[in-house]
Amino acid sequence: MAGLDAFTDLLDYPMYVVTAADGDEGRRAGCLVGFASQCSIDPPRFMVWLSRANHTYTVARTATHLAVHALRDDQKRTAELFGSRTGDDTDKFEHLAWSRSPHAPAPVLDDAAAWFLGRIEGQADGGDHVGFLLAPVDGSRPGGPERSPLLLLSDVLDLTPGHPA
């Protein structure tokens, strides 16, 4: 739709890496996400949208929690790894420092500008993407209180997605 394209072409929002782990099968996954936002103040809630075609979606469907990571503008290589490679054939965590939160098995990237772990409260069908409603249970801003510029959509427009939408 041309009207929506004209509107969204003006937007330059933060990009996130969302990670998940399936406790039953021990699978872990992560992908680059641009469709995400806080959606409630009280209670605090955040919604992330995952493509049905994405490997991370298949793991997230059976996960209890997702980890959402904000990236600094100097972390384009991390964005490329999670946005241009597919977990169908790549272990994206093999060459990254990461750990598990004590609250859930979802991988937490050690070098993120900030992250939070959210319990999946529900899902919403959005067409080719599914929204995961998250209730925060843990989080950190490892770099301290200073604010670093975040990686934005305009920083990753040249990446080739690992899967089509």
Side-chain angles (χ1 to χ4, degrees), residues 26-37:
R27 297 180 301 165
R28 61 182 183 236
C31 63
L32 188 66
V33 170
F35 302 153
S37 178

Side-chain angles (χ1 to χ4, degrees), residues 16 36 48 75 84 88 117:
Y16 306 94
V48 297
Q75 293 184 287
S84 295
D88 295 326
L117 180 73

Side-chain angles (χ1 to χ4, degrees), residues 94-118:
E94 184 176 36
H95 302 291
L96 290 175
W98 63 276
S99 57
R100 292 193 198 287
S101 162
H103 304 286
V108 173
L109 305 181
D110 293 349
D111 196 31
W115 62 271
F116 80 91
L117 180 73

Side-chain angles (χ1 to χ4, degrees), residues 127-160:
D128 59 7
H129 284 65
V130 173
F132 288 79
L133 181 64
L134 305 177
V137 297
D138 193 10
S140 180
R141 191 176 192 173
E146 67 278 350
R147 190 176 180 128
S148 301
L150 295 180
L151 188 77
L152 301 175
L153 173 64
S154 60
D155 298 320
V156 298
L157 287 175
D158 61 329
L159 298 183
T160 301

Side-chain angles (χ1 to χ4, degrees), residues 46-91:
F46 196 91
M47 183 75 95
V48 297
W49 296 87
L50 301 178
S51 169
R52 292 178 187 275
N54 195 299
H55 174 72
T56 303
Y57 169 72
T58 65
V59 175
R61 285 186 314 180
T62 58
T64 59
H65 295 74
L66 299 178
V68 181
H69 306 81
L71 300 178
R72 293 182 313 278
D73 66 352
D74 64 353
Q75 293 184 287
K76 186 170 180 182
R77 291 184 69 174
T78 301
E80 185 173 12
L81 173 65
F82 283 94
S84 295
R85 306 294 303 266
T86 173
D88 295 326
D89 57 25
T90 302
D91 181 356

